[in-house]
Amino acid sequence: NAGVTQTPKFQVLKTGQSMTLQCAQDMNHNSMYWYRQDPGMGLRLIYYSASEGTTDKGEVPNGYNVSRLNKREFSLRLESAAPSQTSVYFCASTPDRVIYNSPLHFGNGTRLTVT
Amino acid sequence: KQEVTQIPAALSVPEGENLVLNCSFTDSAIYNLQWFRQDPGKGLTSLLLIQSSQREQTSGRLNASLDKSSGRSTLYIAASQPGDSATYLCGRGYQKVTFGTGTKLQVIP
């Protein structure tokens, strides 16, 4: 029962490099989310996908792009990494387009350092 | 902007004590309120979800309540154990969940 799987677990980038964070869920969930967690800031939503084929901006989308490749996979891309993007990134999913009654399921995170 | 606040940021209690964690939010037009647990280096695990039409939810030693009129939710942990040590976060929302910054709980044996 894998749930939400994120790869890689750790990554160090130099300023200006690009990378893609991968997220896959095996629970047949419709909605998927990318959050970042920073000390003292809590979790902030970067992008979300209410269903396959749709994506929307969250609270802090600048510097990021996303792709909902299929129902299972939702990737987050940093085109030109900056030190301000040093953070822990979490992917989450929920069964319904409307999360009225469905808790979020989280992956274990990707710890990204940009030097 | 919807705000979620959790006070205190950290709490230390002796084993066996009953305790209450607080979560306050702006905007009483709430759809649901979720409580999560986060262990160091791990993702968040959902503990309880309270729909806006409900006043409380219970799971084992945990009880979460929701008072929309005052903009508050509480998580009650009965007979705390060292294994309860973790950071507890609350989140409110509909399509997008807004989180508080969490309360770091330490239960001392």
Side-chain angles (χ1 to χ4, degrees), chain A residues 61-101:
Chain A
N62 291 342
Y64 305 95
N65 285 301
V66 291
S67 296
R68 183 74 183 267
L69 304 171
N70 47 56
K71 192 172 185 179
R72 288 187 64 247
E73 298 172 288
F74 189 37
S75 62
L76 179 70
R77 183 160 178 84
L78 288 70
E79 291 291 351
S80 179
S84 62
Q85 294 178 306
T86 293
S87 187
V88 182
Y89 292 85
F90 287 101
C91 178
S93 70
T94 190
D96 302 318
R97 292 181 179 83
V98 173
I99 53 172
Y100 179 65
N101 193 33

Side-chain angles (χ1 to χ4, degrees), chain A residues 3 28 42 50 52 55 64 81 95 101 103 109-111:
Chain A
N28 200 36
E52 185 180 355
T55 60
Y64 305 95
N101 193 33
T110 293
R111 285 146 187 83

